[in-house]
Amino acid sequence: MLCLTLTEATVDANKQYIKKYCNDADLFELRLDCLNLDEMPKAVELSHTCKTDIILTYRRMIDGGRRKVSEEDRLQVLRTCVKNGDFSYIDMEEDLEDSELNALVEAKQMNIIRSRHDFDSVPDDVSKDLMNLCKHPGEIPKLAVMPKSVADMLRLLDGYRNTSMTRFILLGMGNFGVWSRILGPHLGGFLSYVSVPNQSAAPGHIDIETMSRVYPLDRLSSNGHIFGIIGNPVMHTKSPVLHNAGFDAAEVDAMYVPFTVDSVEDFITFAEKLPVDGFSVTIPHKQAIIPFLDTQTEAVQAIGACNTVYCKDGTLNGDNTDAPGFMAPLVPEIKKGMKACIIGAGGAARAIIYGLQKAGVEVLVVNRTESRAQELAEHFNCAYGSINDINLISQYNDILVQTTSLGMVPDVERDPVAGYEFTGKEIAYDIIYKPLMTRFLTRAQAAGCTIITGDKMLLEQGYLQFKGFTGCEYPREVTPRI
Ligand code: ATR
């Protein structure tokens, strides 16, 4: 079940969200600690009119609550709400023992969620702690923990796997716990909490619109496939939006999840246990993953970087879709004998040089730090030079590829080859996609060049991964705006 946590200061504002999201949420959690004090009587009213079940929660500050309140005042509000209201669930902390409140809750036959929040760590034996939380039969234990590494993620995953209870709530907070908010119900959890957009109610909460659109819980059956992306940071990536839209349209029983990863080695253990069927790899793990691969394509070997791993029968098989992804929009333009200049000698340049050389294009790499260009040139057996050598660049100008970070938001005015004047005959390709039209491309277009924007490479490498993950072509007509 999906539970929307309501954190507005007034009941009327919360009602608006109930109305807006009643079809997406299975349950609402009313956070009394977020309500203005004079709104408390209205909370009772709300419980009588809302058609969806509500969890009554008055969080203490030590558990992430927002109001400083004496325990007696808090209990008094809870007692009044339970007595006069019509709430289906109440969240009670593990150390909360109040006979008056207990009697009222029992009389109303409310479900008790018995909660503990650990903002520092993940316990050694999560399933044992979860089991020990319940004070009385029938209670639903809720344990919210804070994983800070993949090693912590592993203990959290063991918690799901080793729990024999039929109803429990288990979740990891923060970036290392985001997967548990998406996959928790798939792993047997009773519910997953989400926030109203732009109002994160707890660390790592996903908002209800993203959850419903990108990670709908009912997309994944119990036999469904789990894919994802590993990186650090990784939460900004658009890959889940792309792949999950593809799964929906192609009716693939799968979910693509972002995994914040500090240790590739630990993630491999995690991926085996979950299990994960395949994953994309982004910065900073594209090289670090290679020693763990059982097989690797010629592209991975030549480029020295892997951006895709397929997991099959306990083996990890590495591929690199950056090179063919980069080449896809360029291929129709390529003619025999063409020469290309690659501007920049970072990680991205490697896949690009490989792709161009495979297509028979002669390559020059120029860079601010010439020694880095030289290193690449020696590896790929191509020409190199300084980024300021306009004469040299002009000798390789059938295709100009911009691979540096210059011109990316927020420094959109920058151009690494500002001194180069386009003739209008070049194909200009920038791999930056924020903004789509960089200064480099704007100048090229003004001169009459054919231009290729960076979103093409991003999407094409994703389409290829999708094909590798699922065996089906990506349904391009559903490509989301990146
Ligand atoms: P990526 O893996 O995305 O290619 P990277 O390895 O950090 O990223 O490489 C960034 C590229 O942008 C490099 O070619 C870098 O040039 P240096 O090797 O001289 O650092 C280039 N770059 C970054 N800032 C630059 C600047 N101000 N002027 C010119 N090139 C720059």
Side-chain angles (χ1 to χ4, degrees):
M1 290 204 288
L2 200 58
C3 174
L4 176 62
T5 300
L6 300 167
T7 50
E8 284 288 350
T10 66
V11 166
D12 280 348
N14 282 325
K15 265 188 186 164
Q16 295 299 319
Y17 288 122
I18 291 179
K19 199 169 151 202
K20 187 166 179 189
Y21 296 117
C22 60
N23 291 329
D24 298 305
D26 303 294
L27 206 59
F28 293 102
E29 179 188 41
L30 182 64
R31 283 274 299 270
L32 295 178
D33 52 293
C34 300
L35 273 186
N36 291 336
L37 280 178
D38 56 0
E39 290 279 320
M40 297 299 176
K42 282 199 191 167
V44 169
E45 227 177 276
L46 175 72
S47 73
H48 289 293
T49 53
C50 182
K51 291 191 182 71
T52 309
D53 286 345
I54 301 181
I55 303 173
L56 181 67
T57 300
Y58 199 156
R59 259 293 154 268
R60 305 180 295 202
M61 286 191 91
I62 47 161
D63 296 310
R66 305 229 179 124
R67 175 176 302 115
K68 204 167 173 197
V69 61
S70 76
E71 187 59 1
E72 189 41 44
D73 287 352
R74 186 176 82 104
L75 288 176
Q76 194 48 49
V77 170
L78 281 173
R79 288 180 205 125
T80 309
C81 286
V82 171
K83 188 171 170 198
N84 302 325
D86 185 17
F87 296 94
S88 311
Y89 298 83
I90 180 167
D91 185 307
M92 295 169 78
E93 298 78 12
E94 61 171 329
D95 55 343
L96 175 63
E97 198 54 86
D98 178 72
S99 50
E100 200 181 331
L101 182 60
N102 286 350
L104 289 165
V105 167
E106 199 180 326
K108 290 275 180 146
Q109 296 187 320
M110 289 170 72
N111 292 290
I112 297 173
I113 294 174
R114 189 62 72 174
S115 65
R116 180 198 296 169
H117 295 78
D118 181 341
F119 288 96
D120 280 327
S121 59
V122 178
D124 289 337
D125 191 337
V126 171
S127 63
K128 192 166 142 217
D129 282 28
L130 203 51
M131 189 124 81
N132 290 341
L133 266 179
C134 296
K135 283 185 176 311
H136 308 285
E139 292 186 355
I140 305 165
K142 170 188 171 182
L143 185 57
V145 297
M146 182 65 89
K148 293 176 178 165
S149 63
V150 181
D152 290 347
M153 282 163 53
L154 271 163
R155 289 203 303 286
L156 179 56
L157 180 58
D158 283 343
Y160 285 105
R161 290 283 181 236
N162 300 337
T163 295
S164 53
M165 282 170 294
T166 47
R167 292 202 302 180
F168 65 93
I169 301 169
L170 178 59
L171 56 97
M173 297 181 279
N175 285 345
F176 283 96
V178 165
W179 61 274
S180 70
R181 297 191 181 276
I182 299 167
L183 298 175
H186 175 77
L187 296 168
F190 182 59
L191 59 78
S192 190
Y193 294 92
V194 286
S195 300
V196 163
N198 304 317
Q199 285 188 26
S200 184
H205 255 208
I206 298 174
D207 74 79
I208 187 160
E209 289 187 8
T210 304
M211 194 73 147
S212 307
R213 192 169 39 88
V214 184
Y215 308 108
L217 300 180
D218 58 3
R219 181 191 303 124
L220 193 64
S221 79
S222 52
N223 300 319
H225 299 282
I226 297 171
F227 298 101
I229 178 162
I230 67 166
N232 195 2
V234 78
M235 287 309 149
H236 63 283
T237 169
K238 298 281 183 254
S239 298
V241 179
L242 179 74
H243 286 279
N244 285 325
F247 295 153
D248 278 340
E251 295 185 7
V252 179
D253 182 2
M255 187 77 88
Y256 185 99
V257 182
F259 295 104
T260 301
V261 165
D262 58 337
S263 155
V264 169
E265 189 170 6
D266 287 347
F267 180 76
I268 287 163
T269 310
F270 180 88
E272 274 169 18
K273 278 195 177 184
L274 191 53
V276 173
D277 294 286
F279 54 97
S280 313
V281 185
T282 189
I283 294 164
H285 301 313
K286 285 187 180 188
Q287 285 89 36
I289 189 81
I290 293 178
F292 300 99
L293 299 174
D294 294 291
T295 69
Q296 52 184 283
T297 56
E298 183 213 316
V300 172
Q301 240 159 17
I303 298 164
C306 164
N307 81 329
T308 317
V309 176
Y310 305 112
C311 314
K312 200 161 185 277
D313 305 327
T315 63
L316 299 177
N317 307 286
D319 193 4
N320 190 312
T321 66
D322 284 333
F326 167 79
M327 290 304 293
L330 199 53
V331 166
E333 312 287 341
I334 287 186
K335 294 185 185 70
K336 208 165 173 250
M338 273 187 159
K339 293 183 177 183
C341 170
I342 316 305
I343 302 153
R350 300 179 72 92
I352 290 168
I353 297 171
Y354 173 81
L356 283 166
Q357 286 186 330
K358 281 222 92 152
V361 176
E362 200 181 322
V363 171
L364 162 75
V365 53
V366 295
N367 198 41
R368 174 179 62 177
T369 313
E370 216 176 313
S371 58
R372 281 188 89 192
Q374 184 177 1
E375 253 172 64
L376 278 194
E378 280 165 7
H379 181 81
F380 287 101
N381 194 21
C382 64
Y384 74 94
S386 158
I387 202 165
N388 299 318
D389 192 342
I390 303 296
N391 264 339
L392 183 61
I393 294 175
S394 301
Q395 292 165 39
Y396 287 79
N397 67 355
D398 298 314
I399 305 166
L400 288 183
V401 187
Q402 199 305 104
T403 76
T404 76
S405 46
L406 263 67
M408 199 187 291
V409 286
D411 289 326
V412 295
E413 294 305 319
R414 302 192 75 182
D415 178 346
V417 286
Y420 176 84
E421 280 183 36
F422 288 94
T423 65
K425 295 202 180 102
E426 300 89 339
I427 299 166
Y429 194 156
D430 199 325
I431 66 164
I432 289 174
Y433 55 91
K434 254 186 182 172
L436 276 186
M437 283 306 289
T438 55
R439 165 60 51 124
F440 171 81
L441 285 188
T442 308
R443 285 201 305 117
Q445 191 174 46
C449 301
T450 300
I451 60 158
I452 304 176
T453 50
D455 56 330
K456 306 283 188 308
M457 175 177 177
L458 182 73
L459 292 173
E460 293 289 348
Q461 64 80 27
Y463 296 153
L464 289 163
Q465 288 183 331
F466 187 89
K467 177 92 195 276
F469 289 150
T470 65
C472 340
E473 292 296 336
Y474 189 88
R476 289 179 181 234
E477 65 284 2
V478 303
T479 302
R481 273 174 61 90
I482 296 293

